[in-house]
Amino acid sequence: MAKRLTQQDIARMAGVSQATVSLVLNNRQDGGVRIAPETRARVLEVIRKTGYVANPIARRLHDQRNRILGVFTYEAVFPSTRADFYQPFLEGIEEQAEDAGCDLLLFTSAKAAGGRRRIFSDDSRIRLADGCVLLGRSLDRSDLAQLLTEGIPFVSIGRRDDAGGPVPYVGADYPAAVRDLVDRAVALGHHKFAYVGAGKGAESSADRLRGFREAVAAHGVDGIHVPFTGLDQLLDAGVTAVLTEEVSDGAALVLAARERGLSVPGDLSVLMLGAATRPAPDDVDLTGFGIPRREMGRRAVQALTEVLENGTTPQELLACEFVAGSTLG
């Protein structure tokens, strides 16, 4: 195997010192030292002819950065049942990393604990990256706490509660998006609402339910919260507008109503609160809102850059976009 070229080899070929090669490679002028244009050109020509590439470990030791950003996923992001949900996040992350001149490292080797992935283990490689973007519906609070304690730069995609300190994140403004849907439904004459879904656990679920409760209280209308249930319970309660956390649940209610001969949205309006995380019929044109997933991925990388360069704790919520389907009336 051929010996890897070093800066010392380049310096010898160009007839300059190793320090001069280092200054040229890093485009620096330490201590006011100026490199003659012809000297710089000679060094660059040797680099071009030899195809020399700086040792990334040495470069990292020099500037404390290797321009590699990690992506840690708490859930598998490539199975077909979830690919459509996570793909826009990954596309946004990739686009912004490319703009920033950084490579991406996808962490997949963390051992699962109790069926869930964990960032930290005996062979954790999280520190190979300059910083990390965390992606997943529900993140482990002990992982977040350890990241904060050890000062490892990271940004979460999705709002996160404090974990012994404020958590940097880029999330979606679910409360505002849910309130907007309730506002629209009330304006159309609806006065009996149901929220179908967990409404707890992950911050995203809790935020949606909070927005629902705030909205029905502000309008003085009735609102119930139930886990996914059949159509009968909702109709017996006199509900005319249903908001579902899961798109597949909303689609199932629409199909069940149609089988009963009910009109959607004439007899029942069904609203979705985000994007599908499970397979859902594509022939049900649900009204609701979309999550700005691609932009969240881009902003997460931008926020991570802010963490790395300024040591700040960015926390940002992006607006969701209304989706004008055919199930609200």
Side-chain angles (χ1 to χ4, degrees):
M1 181 179 297
K3 175 179 176 291
R4 180 188 179 97
L5 286 173
T6 66
Q7 288 188 19
Q8 189 173 12
D9 296 326
I10 299 300
R12 185 179 65 258
M13 295 177 193
V16 298
S17 68
Q18 183 176 340
T20 297
V21 174
S22 178
L23 291 173
V24 171
L25 284 170
N26 292 285
N27 196 27
R28 293 172 55 185
Q29 297 182 4
D30 289 353
V33 174
R34 297 185 62 84
I35 301 175
E38 58 273 18
T39 301
R40 180 182 298 275
R42 190 163 68 250
V43 172
L44 291 175
E45 179 64 13
V46 172
I47 291 172
R48 186 189 67 79
K49 287 183 176 180
T50 60
Y52 171 77
V53 177
N55 185 323
I57 296 177
R59 291 290 297 274
R60 184 180 187 188
L61 290 173
H62 185 270
D63 59 15
Q64 301 301 307
R65 194 81 60 82
N66 61 9
R67 305 195 70 79
I68 294 177
L69 304 181
V71 179
F72 183 89
T73 64
Y74 276 88
E75 298 144 17
V77 296
F78 295 117
S80 59
T81 56
R82 287 181 177 266
D84 288 346
F85 180 75
Y86 285 113
Q87 181 175 340
F89 290 116
L90 297 172
E91 289 174 349
I93 290 171
E94 181 183 41
E95 289 170 0
Q96 189 57 39
E98 183 178 4
D99 288 348
C102 295
D103 292 313
L104 291 175
L105 178 60
L106 179 63
F107 291 105
T108 60
S109 61
K111 294 180 179 179
R116 287 188 50 78
R117 291 181 178 178
R118 294 289 305 276
I119 293 177
F120 295 99
S121 62
D122 292 340
D123 59 351
S124 174
R125 299 180 178 89
I126 195 72
R127 294 175 183 80
L128 289 175
D130 297 323
C132 195
V133 173
L134 309 184
L135 182 61
R137 182 174 174 82
S138 181
L139 273 60
D140 191 284
R141 285 183 58 82
S142 61
D143 278 350
L144 297 178
Q146 188 168 347
L147 287 167
L148 292 171
T149 298
E150 298 189 14
I152 297 175
F154 75 98
V155 168
S156 168
I157 292 184
R159 188 193 70 78
R160 305 298 168 189
D161 294 322
D162 283 9
V167 175
Y169 63 74
V170 173
D173 194 350
Y174 293 123
V178 174
R179 290 195 298 266
D180 175 65
L181 292 182
V182 174
D183 291 346
R184 292 173 184 268
V186 169
L188 292 172
H190 291 278
H191 294 90
K192 185 70 174 182
F193 292 79
Y195 180 101
V196 175
K200 61 181 180 180
E203 288 88 345
S204 57
S205 293
D207 286 351
R208 287 174 169 92
L209 180 57
R210 175 163 55 86
F212 174 76
R213 287 174 168 162
E214 291 172 351
V216 296
H219 287 288
V221 296
D222 292 333
I224 61 174
H225 168 217
V226 294
F228 180 67
T229 184
L231 186 60
D232 287 338
Q233 181 181 353
L234 299 174
L235 296 177
D236 290 345
V239 170
T240 62
V242 183
L243 291 80
T244 63
E245 275 189 25
E246 289 289 342
V247 172
S248 58
D249 292 344
L253 288 173
V254 171
L255 294 176
R258 289 175 178 172
E259 290 178 359
R260 297 279 191 90
L262 299 175
S263 169
V264 178
D267 298 313
L268 181 70
S269 289
V270 180
L271 306 171
M272 65 175 181
L273 308 182
T277 61
R278 302 197 304 257
D282 55 11
D283 59 344
V284 179
D285 184 25
L286 287 168
T287 301
F289 64 77
I291 306 168
R293 292 173 289 173
R294 192 171 192 143
E295 183 61 21
M296 286 169 67
R298 290 186 62 92
R299 284 295 302 134
V301 175
Q302 292 172 356
L304 182 56
T305 300
E306 295 173 19
V307 173
L308 289 166
E309 294 181 352
N310 305 319
T312 54
T313 306
Q315 295 182 332
E316 180 180 8
L317 294 178
L318 304 182
C320 296
E321 182 179 2
F322 176 69
V323 176
S326 61
T327 57
L328 173 62

